[in-house]
C-alpha cells in the first residue's frame, strides 16, 4: 500500500465527521445533537467485524404495497437496517434511529467511494398501524430519493405472523407497554433500539444499540467491510 | 382481530410502565430493561452437594416481594442434572435469557426467564466452549448487543490460569475468542470483565486456574508454588477492536469490576482478594491508571473480599469478606479515598452481595467454591435478605439452603413479573 493510500481513510473520515456533525435533521424527526463518543474510534481495517449471525429472511411490503423477500433488501450491498414504528415518541428510540440514518445518508452521499455500495432500510414492527401508505408518509421524500446511488427503503409487513420471524431472527426485542404517566393508558411498543450492519452476503456484522448509537462509528465499520471485500483499491481510484 | 393477533404473536409483555435504561447497579450497560421498583424474585445459582437433595446444580427462584404470600420462600427450582461447580450467570441484553455455568466444566445453561419469570426453564445447553476456544471454566457472562461475552478462568490444556474470553451470539453460536494478554506485563489470567462503551474501554481482572480453584483451600494455601499462580493484573482493552492495551499491576487477584453508573464518572473499582485492597481504575488525561485507594479489614488476617456491589449513583460500595463473614459499606464520595462507614457480620461465611436499584434491599449468599467453603457449623448455606436504610442492615428473611436440601447458594440475579413475555403461539 502506498503512503497516499494510507492517508485516504483519514481524509475520508474527516469529511464524514464534518458532514455528520453539521447534517441538519428533518421535519418531524428533529431533535438535539446526536451523541458523540468520548474516544477516537479505531481506524477502519484495524479490527474485525465478526459474523454475528445471518440476517433472517421473510416477506415484507414496500411503500408501493408490493411483497418482496427481505433478502432483496439485505444482500448485494452493505445494509444498515433498523426497526421502528411510526407512532413512537421515545426520543431515544425510533426518532433517534431516523436522525442517525438521516445523518448517515448525508455522509454517504458526500463520500463518492461509498456510492452504490450502501443502502438504508427502515422496517416497521407495527404492521397494524404502519401500512405501506403510512410508511410512505413517514418517509416523505426520502423514500424516493436516489441520490448518489443511495436508496433508503421503508418497509413494513402484512401481518404479525410475517413480522415475527424477522423480529425474532434479528433478536429485536419488543414489548407492549402502557405509559400511564399522564393518567391515561397510552400503548407503546417498548423496545431497545438496535441498528444492524449487514454485509453484502447477508450476515449481520455489527449491532448498534440506542444507548451507544454513535453515527460517527458507522462509516468506519462500513469502510472496514469494504476493505475486507478487497474493494479498497478501487475505492481509492474512484476518490482520486 | 389483527391487533389481538399482534399482541399474541409479538412475545409481548403487558407492563404498567416502561423500564428505564440501566440495570440493578452491576450488570452490563447494554441491558436495557431495569427493575427500578420492587423486584419479585431472586434467582440463586446453586452448587449441588453430593448427598443433599438431588445433588445437582440448580437455579433456585426465591420470592422476594414483601407483598407476596410466598415472601422469602423458594417457589421454583431447576436442576441441571450435573454438578460442575455452578458459579456465575448473566442476562442477555434483552433480558429474556439467563446464561449460567460452572467452573469445573464447559457447559453453559441458558434459562428462559421471560416466558414466566417465576419459573425459569432450561432452553439450551451450550457445550462447545472448550472445543472452540480452548478455555475452561466460564465465569462472567456479559451482555453485548445481540451477543454474550464470556470470560473463562482456565484452559483445557493444562488447567492453569492462562485463559481468555469467548464471544457468542444470543442464539448460542460461537463467534470468536480472545486470549488474555501475556505481553507488556500481562499474566494471561482472567476473572471478570466490564465495559464503558462511552470510553470504548473493556476492563478485565485476573484470578487463578482450575488447578487451584478446584483444590481444597487448606491444601492450596500450604503449597507455595501454587499460591504464586494467582492473577496480579488488570488490562484495558479497546472494546471496539477487542485488543488488549495497557496492563496494570494489581497484586492479589483483583476480582469483580464495577464501573460507576454516574454518567459524569469514568472510573471503575475493584477489590483484590488476597491483599484486601480496593483499586481505582480511572483516566488521568489520556492515560488510564490503576491506584490502590483503600484497605478492607485487616489484610494480615486475609478477610478475603470476594464480592462488591456499587450503588447506582457511584457513591457507595458494599464489600463482602468471606473469612470473617462481614458485610462492609464504603463511602465512595471520593473514589480516590473510599471510607468504610459501616460493617456487620451477616453470616459465618459470606460471598455474593446484590442490591436493588434503589439500594434499599440487599441480598447475600454464602458459598465461595465447594472446596473453599468452611466446614462444620461454619458451613452455613443461605440466601439472606436485608433492608438498608442508610444506617443499618436489618434482617428480613432467610432461606436455609442446607435445610431445604438445595446445595450451596452462590450467584444472584433479580427477576420481575414486569419482564414477562407471552410464549409465541405455535
Amino acid at each position: 500500500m502506498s503512503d497516499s493510500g494510507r492517508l485516504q481513510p483519514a481524509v475520508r473520515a474527516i469529511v464524514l465527521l464534518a458532514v455528520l456533525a453539521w447534517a441538519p435533521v428533518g421535519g418531524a424527526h428533529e431533535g438535539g445533537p446526536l451523541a458523540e463518543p468520548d474516544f477516537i474510534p479505531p481506524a477502519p481495517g484495524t479490527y474485525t467485524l465478526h459474523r454475528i449471525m445471518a440476517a433472517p429472511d421473510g416477506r415484507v411490503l414496500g411503500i408501493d404495497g408490493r411483497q418482496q423477500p427481505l433478502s432483496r433488501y439485505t444482500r448485494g450491498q452493505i445494509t444498515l437496517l433498523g426497526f421502528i414504528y411510526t407512532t413512537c415518541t421515545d426520543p431515544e428510540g425510533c426518532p433517534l434511529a431516523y436522525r442517525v440514518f438521516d445523518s448517515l445518508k448525508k455522509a454517504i452521499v458526500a463520500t463518492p467511494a461509498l456510492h452504490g455500495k450502501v443502502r438504508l432500510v427502515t422496517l416497521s414492527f407495527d404492521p397494524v398501524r404502519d401500512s405501506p401508505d403510512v410508511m410512505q408518509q413517514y418517509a416523505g421524500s426520502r423514500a424516493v430519493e436516489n441520490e448518489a446511488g443511495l436508496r433508503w427503503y421503508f418497509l413494513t409487513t402484512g401481518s404479525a405472523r410475517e413480522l415475527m420471524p424477522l423480529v425474532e431472527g434479528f433478536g429485536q426485542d419488543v414489548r407492549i407497554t402502557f405509559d400511564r404517566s399522564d393518567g391515561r393508558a397510552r400503548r407503546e411498543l417498548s423496545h431497545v433500539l438496535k441498528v444492524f450492519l449487514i454485509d453484502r452476503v447477508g450476515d449481520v456484522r455489527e449491532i448498534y444499540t440506542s444507548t451507544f448509537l454513535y453515527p460517527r462509528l458507522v462509516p468506519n465499520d462500513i469502510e472496514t467491510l469494504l476493505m475486507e471485500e478487497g474493494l479498497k483499491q478501487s475505492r481509492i481510484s474512484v476518490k482520486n | 382481530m389483527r391487533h389481538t393477533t399482534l399482541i399474541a404473536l409479538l412475545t409481548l409483555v403487558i407492563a404498567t410502565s416502561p423500564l428505564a435504561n440501566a440495570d440493578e447497579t452491576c450488570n452490563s450497560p447494554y441491558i436495557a430493561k431495569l427493575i427500578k421498583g420492587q423486584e419479585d424474585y431472586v434467582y440463586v445459582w446453586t452448587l449441588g452437594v453430593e448427598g443433599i437433595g438431588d445433588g445437582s446444580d440448580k437455579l433456585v427462584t426465591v420470592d422476594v416481594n414483601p407483598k407476596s404470600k410466598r415472601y422469602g420462600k423458594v417457589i421454583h427450582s431447576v436442576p441441571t442434572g450435573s454438578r460442575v461447580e455452578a458459579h456465575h450467570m448473566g442476562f442477555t441484553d434483552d433480558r429474556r435469557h439467563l446464561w449460567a455455568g460452572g467452573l469445573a466444566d464447559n457447559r453453559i445453561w441458558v434459562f428462559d426467564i421471560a416466558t414466566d419469570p417465576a419459573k425459569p426453564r432450561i432452553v439450551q445447553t451450550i457445550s462447545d466452549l472448550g472445543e472452540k476456544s480452548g478455555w475452561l471454566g466460564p465465569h462472567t457472562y456479559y451482555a453485548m448487543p445481540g451477543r454474550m461475552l464470556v470470560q473463562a478462568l482456565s484452559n483445557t490444556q493444562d488447567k492453569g490460569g492462562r485463559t481468555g474470553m469467548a464471544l457468542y451470539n444470543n442464539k448460542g453460536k460461537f463467534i470468536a475468542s480472545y486470549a488474555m494478554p501475556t505481553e507488556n506485563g500481562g499474566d494471561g489470567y482472567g476473572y471478570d470483565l466490564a465495559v464503558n462503551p462511552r470510553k470504548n474501554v473493556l476492563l478485565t481482572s485476573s484470578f487463578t486456574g482450575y488447578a487451584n480453584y478446584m483444590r481444597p483451600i487448606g491444601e492450596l494455601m500450604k503449597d507455595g508454588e501454587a499460591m504464586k499462580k494467582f492473577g496480579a493484573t488488570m488490562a484495558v482493552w479497546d472494546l471496539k477492536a477487542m485488543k488488549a492495551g495497557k496492563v496494570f499491576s494489581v497484586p492479589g487477584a483483583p476480582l469483580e469490576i464495577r464501573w460507576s453508573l454516574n454518567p459524569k464518572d469514568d472510573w471503575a473499582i475493584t477489590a483484590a482478594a488476597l491483599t484486601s485492597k480496593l483499586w481505582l481504575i480511572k483516566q488521568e488525561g489520556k492515560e488510564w491508571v490503576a491506584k490502590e485507594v483503600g484497605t478492607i479489614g485487616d489484610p494480615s488476617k486475609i478477610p478475603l473480599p470476594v464480592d462488591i456491589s456499587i450503588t447506582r449513583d457511584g457513591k457507595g460500595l458494599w464489600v463482602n469478606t468471606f473469612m470473617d463473614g462481614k458485610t462492609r459499606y464504603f463511602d465512595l464520595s471520593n473514589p480516590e479515598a473510599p471510607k468504610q462507614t459501616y460493617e456487620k457480620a451477616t453470616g459465618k461465611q459470606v460471598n455474593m452481595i446484590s442490591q436493588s436499584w434503589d439500594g434499599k434491599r440487599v441480598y447475600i449468599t454464602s458459598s465461595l467454591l465447594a472446596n473453599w467453603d468452611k466446614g462444620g457449623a461454619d458451613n452455613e448455606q443461605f440466601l439472606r435478605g436485608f433492608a438498608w436504610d442508610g444506617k443499618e442492615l436489618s434482617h428480613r428473611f432467610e432461606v436455609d439452603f442446607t435445610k431445604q436440601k438445595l446445595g450451596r447458594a452462590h450467584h444472584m440475579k433479580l427477576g420481575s413479573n414486569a419482564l414477562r413475555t407471552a410464549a409465541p403461539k405455535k
Side-chain angles (χ1 to χ4, degrees):
Chain A
M1 183 196 306
S2 68
D3 285 342
S4 61
R6 279 198 290 271
L7 288 173
Q8 288 296 338
V11 173
R12 185 163 44 257
I14 291 169
V15 172
L16 287 171
L17 287 177
V19 172
L20 287 168
W22 291 99
V25 291
H29 306 287
E30 285 183 2
L34 293 169
E36 286 290 334
D38 192 11
F39 61 92
I40 299 171
T46 63
Y47 56 95
T48 303
L49 293 169
H50 294 287
R51 289 172 173 77
I52 299 170
M53 60 185 175
D57 201 4
R59 288 177 294 182
V60 294
L61 299 172
I63 56 173
D64 58 2
R66 286 180 58 200
Q67 195 169 67
Q68 299 266 12
L70 178 62
S71 55
R72 150 83 175 75
Y73 302 98
T74 57
R75 302 206 178 157
Q77 289 183 313
I78 292 170
T79 304
L80 284 157
L81 182 147
F83 286 88
I84 59 98
Y85 66 106
T86 60
T87 51
C88 178
T89 56
D90 177 4
E92 297 303 314
C94 313
L96 173 63
Y98 194 100
R99 292 170 52 220
V100 168
F101 272 28
D102 222 22
S103 291
L104 287 169
K105 175 175 178 285
K106 292 177 175 65
I108 293 164
V109 167
T111 310
L114 302 181
H115 293 176
K117 298 185 174 70
V118 184
R119 70 161 75 86
L120 305 175
V121 175
T122 292
L123 175 57
S124 169
F125 47 40
D126 190 354
V128 174
R129 289 174 172 162
D130 292 344
S131 64
D133 286 345
V134 170
M135 291 301 287
Q136 186 162 30
Q137 290 173 24
Y138 177 80
S141 62
R142 289 169 179 80
V144 294
E145 291 168 356
N146 185 8
E147 193 175 356
L150 176 67
R151 291 297 307 272
W152 186 346
Y153 298 96
F154 292 80
L155 309 175
T156 188
T157 49
S159 68
R161 196 172 296 279
E162 291 176 354
L163 172 66
M164 264 306 293
L166 302 178
V167 169
E168 287 288 329
F170 276 108
Q172 173 64 70
D173 191 51
V174 57
R175 308 172 301 128
I176 285 186
T177 60
F178 289 97
D179 181 358
R180 302 176 195 276
S181 56
D182 61 358
R184 295 180 307 164
R186 189 172 66 248
R187 173 183 171 276
E188 295 180 341
L189 291 175
S190 177
H191 66 288
V192 177
L193 172 66
K194 288 182 177 176
V195 172
F196 301 87
L197 177 67
I198 304 167
D199 66 18
R200 285 160 35 116
V201 298
D203 285 329
V204 174
R205 305 294 292 273
E206 185 56 289
I207 303 171
Y208 313 98
T209 65
S210 57
T211 312
F212 305 106
L213 180 54
Y214 301 124
R216 64 181 276 199
L217 295 185
V218 180
N220 279 15
D221 289 348
I222 293 172
E223 189 167 346
T224 296
L225 291 184
L226 289 173
M227 291 170 77
E228 180 191 278
E229 291 175 359
L231 295 178
K232 185 175 183 185
Q233 288 306 316
S234 60
R235 193 176 66 249
I236 290 169
S237 64
V238 169
K239 184 107 181 170
N240 289 339
Chain B
M1 291 173 61
R2 294 179 71 201
H3 205 132
T4 308
T5 308
L6 174 67
I7 293 172
L9 285 176
L10 277 177
T11 63
L12 303 174
V13 66
I14 304 300
T16 53
S17 62
L19 299 164
N21 268 348
D23 194 29
E24 302 85 54
T25 78
C26 293
N27 281 320
S28 162
Y30 296 110
I31 295 175
K33 296 175 185 173
L34 289 197
I35 305 171
K36 280 201 164 179
Q38 172 67 52
E39 58 280 1
D40 293 306
Y41 310 111
V42 171
Y43 304 120
V44 185
W45 189 220
T46 304
L47 294 69
V49 178
E50 189 172 7
I52 293 185
D54 61 12
S56 168
D57 295 341
K58 53 181 65 67
L59 185 65
V60 175
T61 304
V62 178
D63 188 324
V64 296
N65 190 329
K67 291 182 179 175
S68 169
K69 292 177 182 175
R70 306 179 297 180
Y71 176 65
K73 307 292 184 193
V74 174
I75 60 168
H76 193 63
S77 174
V78 188
T80 63
S82 305
R83 188 168 58 250
V84 295
E85 194 66 47
H87 207 74
H88 280 199
M89 48 188 176
F91 298 116
T92 50
D93 64 336
D94 57 12
R95 207 165 177 155
R96 290 172 64 174
H97 295 105
L98 183 59
W99 290 33
L103 300 183
D105 194 283
N106 260 336
R107 278 171 290 178
I108 298 168
W109 285 270
V110 180
F111 292 88
D112 171 5
I113 54 165
T115 302
D116 184 349
K119 295 179 180 175
R121 61 193 179 95
I122 297 171
V123 293
Q124 186 179 7
T125 305
I126 300 165
S127 55
D128 64 355
L129 176 69
E131 172 198 337
K132 298 282 190 183
S133 70
W135 313 137
L136 171 65
H139 177 270
T140 298
Y141 305 85
Y142 206 84
M144 307 293 284
R147 287 153 284 180
M148 186 70 90
L149 189 56
V150 180
Q151 170 74 66
L153 297 192
S154 193
N155 68 81
T156 55
Q157 282 191 321
D158 64 9
K159 298 191 174 180
R162 184 180 51 79
T163 192
M165 297 173 279
L167 184 65
Y168 282 83
N169 69 20
N170 278 359
K171 294 177 173 66
K173 186 184 174 206
F174 176 85
I175 297 173
S177 78
Y178 310 94
M180 305 310 290
T182 54
E183 297 177 346
N184 302 320
D187 52 21
Y189 289 68
Y191 182 79
D192 198 17
L193 67 92
V195 308
N196 180 340
R198 199 166 60 80
K199 289 287 184 181
N200 190 37
V201 164
L202 162 70
L203 271 180
T204 54
S205 57
S206 55
F207 180 45
T208 194
Y210 179 103
N212 272 359
Y213 63 68
M214 292 302 288
R215 281 180 81 178
I217 192 164
E219 179 186 312
L220 174 65
M221 292 183 76
K222 292 175 189 167
D223 185 338
E225 283 305 306
M227 288 302 291
K228 292 177 185 172
K229 296 175 181 172
F230 277 83
T233 61
M234 295 183 73
V236 175
W237 297 61
D238 180 322
L239 173 64
K240 179 72 181 175
M242 283 303 288
K243 291 177 181 170
K246 193 170 182 178
V247 177
F248 305 121
S249 171
V250 181
L255 299 183
E256 321 296 334
I257 304 167
R258 308 294 183 221
W259 285 97
S260 171
L261 302 182
N262 187 330
K264 296 176 182 173
D265 291 340
D266 280 309
W267 52 261
I269 196 160
T270 191
L274 301 180
T275 53
S276 211
K277 298 290 184 182
L278 288 169
W279 284 76
L280 182 72
I281 296 88
K282 61 177 291 195
Q283 202 172 23
E284 288 185 346
K286 291 183 178 178
E287 279 294 307
W288 286 93
V289 297
K291 297 178 171 182
E292 181 189 315
V293 292
T295 300
I296 304 158
D298 179 355
S300 69
K301 296 177 180 173
I302 313 180
L304 216 57
V306 281
D307 194 23
I308 57 178
S309 176
I310 197 165
T311 58
R312 69 179 183 190
D313 60 3
K315 301 292 186 191
L317 186 76
W318 289 105
V319 180
N320 264 6
T321 43
F322 180 78
M323 296 304 288
D324 58 12
K326 286 185 176 176
T327 297
R328 295 174 166 84
Y329 187 84
F330 285 80
D331 180 348
L332 282 187
S333 298
N334 177 6
E336 302 263 0
K339 182 180 174 187
Q340 184 182 317
T341 56
Y342 177 83
E343 74 174 44
K344 179 173 187 154
T346 51
K348 291 177 178 170
Q349 58 182 7
V350 296
N351 186 28
M352 304 306 290
I353 181 164
S354 295
Q355 63 184 303
S356 57
W357 177 254
D358 60 13
K360 293 180 179 176
R361 295 169 299 286
V362 174
Y363 304 99
I364 291 171
T365 55
S366 49
S367 178
L368 176 54
L369 288 158
N371 284 329
W372 291 22
D373 285 353
K374 297 178 181 177
D378 286 345
N379 185 27
E380 293 179 331
Q381 294 299 341
F382 58 78
L383 165 67
R384 287 179 181 151
F386 296 86
W388 172 244
D389 62 4
K391 295 177 181 173
E392 182 62 36
L393 276 178
S394 304
H395 183 268
R396 285 292 180 264
F397 73 85
E398 173 171 348
V399 176
D400 186 326
F401 272 57
T402 302
K403 194 175 285 183
Q404 297 208 26
K405 299 187 181 348
L406 295 167
R408 301 173 187 269
H410 195 92
H411 203 205
M412 296 168 282
K413 288 290 180 187
L414 306 186
S416 169
N417 286 325
L419 299 172
R420 180 189 304 272
T421 62
K425 279 193 172 179
K426 301 293 181 187

